[in-house]
Amino acid sequence: MHAEDVPLPLIAQEVGTPVYVYSRATLERHAQVFRDGLNDVPDKLIAFAVKANPNLAVLKVLQSQGYGADVVSVGEMRRALAAGIAPEKVVFSGVGKTRAELIAGLEAGIGQFNIESEEEGLELAEVARELGLEAQCTLRINPDVDAGTHDKISTGKADNKFGVPISQAGQIFGKLASEGGVNLRGVAVHIGSQLGDLAPLENAFNKLGELVSALRGAGHTITHVDLGGGLGVPYKQGETPPSPAEYGAMVARVTADWGVKLIFEPGRVIAGNAGVLLTRVVRVKRGVKDPFVIVDAAMNDLARPALYGAYHDFTAVEPNGRDMTANIVGPICETGDTFAMGRLCDHLEAGDLAVFRTAGAYGATMASSYNSRGFVAEVLVDGDKYAVVADRIDAGAIMDAERVPEWLA
Ligand SMILES: *Cc1c(COP(=O)(O)O)cnc(C)c1O
């Protein structure tokens, strides 16, 4: 098995495992396919959701594709700017932006703040006035639609923490629009992630369209609407989430007469299938029923199965033609550190290499050092060459940042 033209065993040998391996060609292809899907949307900004994969080299690839960045912390903002993304193309989302983050965004001159509450809007206005600046803003709306995805990644139901309730949107918009320091020029929505169906998105966008009309009717000037991200990717063979072309056609139809600039915040659909997690089998342990294939990657490296019960395809790097039914687990001392139970997969033995597929989004970015395992390395492949784009941070380096106070010594 290769990543582009680079054999995965070579990367395993030279960089060690576990390691994330990303493909530049795939990232570029996904960026182009998503943009092509939106050909019928005349005025737009595509801002990659940095939280899906914040690696600097990945951001650089997308910057070269003309992408902006959707960020949810000052750390992500700094990464986007460091990757050369113009501040005007940076959108700052998130329910808990601190005062320091609002100041940092204003001083960097970012293109858009997505305000998530009246309270945040008032604070942003005050801070901007103090700095003698004006924040370009949209108000994020919670449209109260069920995205039909996993509960932990649904963001557009009334009891989720995101945005302002659509029933109060007109009143809050009116209040914030009259504040100095903010130019409230539109609305935003993001209803969830890994959506397998366009219907909830279309429903949310229609509600947003009605709100835009109502706001204009109340005398507001609306020039920008942010439609968020959320398009799903296939994790399992046979899964067929809507394509960027189908998504784009729906968006073009629903928004045809809005007369605004549209902002998109795709994450997973760009990066998900552009990466794998390469791992080595530590040993195979007999079970009562199926054997346990214990790999050197764990829930601290790839959290999605433990967090959401997520499925990742698992295949041998050098299949021997046989298969087995096995439980795929990591070394961490938690039963949650299980990638799959009773999975029919390639036959594997101690020392063999395997990959978890579709690991380019919400993979390395969610890594932790639980069990003092250190942080996983990342590699970017480009044709027949590759580079380590994030060093492995070993447990010793993390321990070096800790101190035992003198009064304990
Ligand atoms: C997470 C997130 C996204 C990206 O979601 P994907 O499902 O990865 O496309 C976009 N916008 C906001 C505000 C988010 O929180």
Side-chain angles (χ1 to χ4, degrees):
M1 189 186 287
H2 289 63
E4 300 194 24
D5 301 326
V6 180
L8 289 178
L10 180 71
I11 294 175
Q13 189 193 323
E14 295 190 344
V15 185
T17 54
V19 57
Y20 280 91
V21 182
Y22 310 129
S23 157
R24 176 183 181 178
T26 308
L27 282 167
E28 290 180 345
R29 193 177 70 244
H30 289 174
Q32 285 156 11
V33 165
F34 191 83
R35 186 175 41 229
D36 289 349
L38 296 169
N39 266 340
D40 290 338
V41 174
D43 193 9
K44 58 184 170 278
L45 168 69
I46 307 177
F48 176 65
V50 170
K51 77 175 192 282
N53 189 326
N55 183 277
L56 272 181
V58 168
L59 297 182
K60 181 69 199 163
V61 170
L62 296 170
Q63 181 268 343
S64 306
Q65 289 292 314
Y67 274 48
D70 170 55
V71 305
V72 294
S73 70
V74 71
E76 288 190 353
M77 184 188 85
R78 300 244 183 271
R79 283 171 174 274
L81 298 176
I85 294 174
E88 313 86 76
K89 290 187 176 179
V90 174
V91 176
F92 204 145
S93 303
V95 289
K97 302 177 201 79
T98 62
R99 181 173 281 255
E101 287 180 315
L102 297 175
I103 292 171
L106 280 163
E107 288 183 336
I110 64 159
Q112 181 172 302
F113 289 87
N114 289 344
I115 298 173
E116 301 235 8
S117 62
E118 179 177 332
E119 295 83 350
E120 179 194 339
L122 292 173
E123 186 164 356
L124 177 60
E126 180 191 312
V127 171
R129 287 194 302 265
E130 280 169 19
L131 294 172
L133 296 169
E134 185 179 63
Q136 305 304 314
C137 305
T138 68
L139 182 63
R140 179 166 174 182
I141 309 301
N142 184 323
D144 194 19
V145 299
D146 186 347
T149 186
H150 192 282
D151 272 351
K152 287 187 185 161
I153 49 176
S154 281
T155 55
K157 281 190 277 191
D159 56 359
N160 295 150
K161 67 182 176 180
F162 300 97
V164 304
I166 192 156
S167 55
Q168 299 167 24
Q171 179 228 329
I172 294 173
F173 196 101
K175 177 150 185 205
L176 294 178
S178 65
E179 286 286 320
V182 293
N183 175 24
L184 193 55
R185 60 188 192 183
V187 287
V189 74
H190 171 72
I191 62 168
S193 197
Q194 184 53 14
L195 308 191
D197 184 3
L198 290 180
L201 285 167
E202 181 165 352
N203 185 7
F205 298 168
N206 279 322
K207 288 187 175 195
L208 216 56
E210 286 166 24
L211 178 63
V212 167
S213 300
L215 291 171
R216 284 178 172 155
H220 300 295
T221 304
I222 305 294
T223 54
H224 292 68
V225 176
D226 186 330
L227 297 181
L231 204 54
V233 297
Y235 281 95
K236 260 185 214 169
Q237 279 198 340
E239 276 180 359
T240 51
S243 68
E246 291 166 319
Y247 171 79
M250 180 275 283
V251 167
R253 176 166 49 77
V254 170
T255 66
D257 59 0
W258 288 10
V260 295
K261 176 170 186 154
L262 291 179
I263 295 97
F264 299 90
E265 304 169 347
R268 190 187 309 268
V269 73
I270 305 296
N273 271 311
V276 297
L277 174 58
L278 177 60
T279 184
R280 197 180 285 283
V281 177
V282 177
R283 67 179 59 84
V284 180
K285 168 181 169 173
R286 246 190 338 269
V288 171
K289 186 162 171 266
D290 300 321
F292 291 93
V293 171
I294 306 168
V295 296
D296 65 1
M299 64 188 283
N300 72 303
D301 307 305
L302 177 63
R304 299 188 64 259
L307 265 181
Y308 319 124
Y311 180 102
H312 283 269
D313 205 19
F314 179 72
T315 44
V317 167
E318 295 166 304
N320 58 20
R322 289 183 287 151
D323 55 27
M324 71 194 298
T325 299
N327 308 316
I328 320 296
V329 301
I332 282 184
C333 296
E334 294 237 2
T335 301
D337 187 25
T338 297
F339 293 106
M341 290 297 286
R343 176 79 65 88
L344 179 63
C345 63
D346 293 325
H347 180 266
L348 287 162
E349 288 172 13
D352 288 347
L353 292 169
V355 293
F356 292 100
R357 294 184 187 271
T358 320
Y362 306 105
T365 178
M366 285 190 176
S368 76
S369 65
Y370 186 39
N371 274 214
S372 293
R373 285 172 42 84
F375 282 97
V376 61
E378 297 166 82
V379 159
L380 181 68
V381 173
D382 180 8
D384 60 2
K385 62 178 188 283
Y386 78 86
V388 175
V389 294
D391 289 342
R392 191 178 305 285
I393 299 177
D394 69 25
I398 296 169
M399 189 167 69
D400 285 347
E402 298 176 21
R403 308 272 175 278
V404 176
E406 237 169 63
W407 40 264
L408 271 185

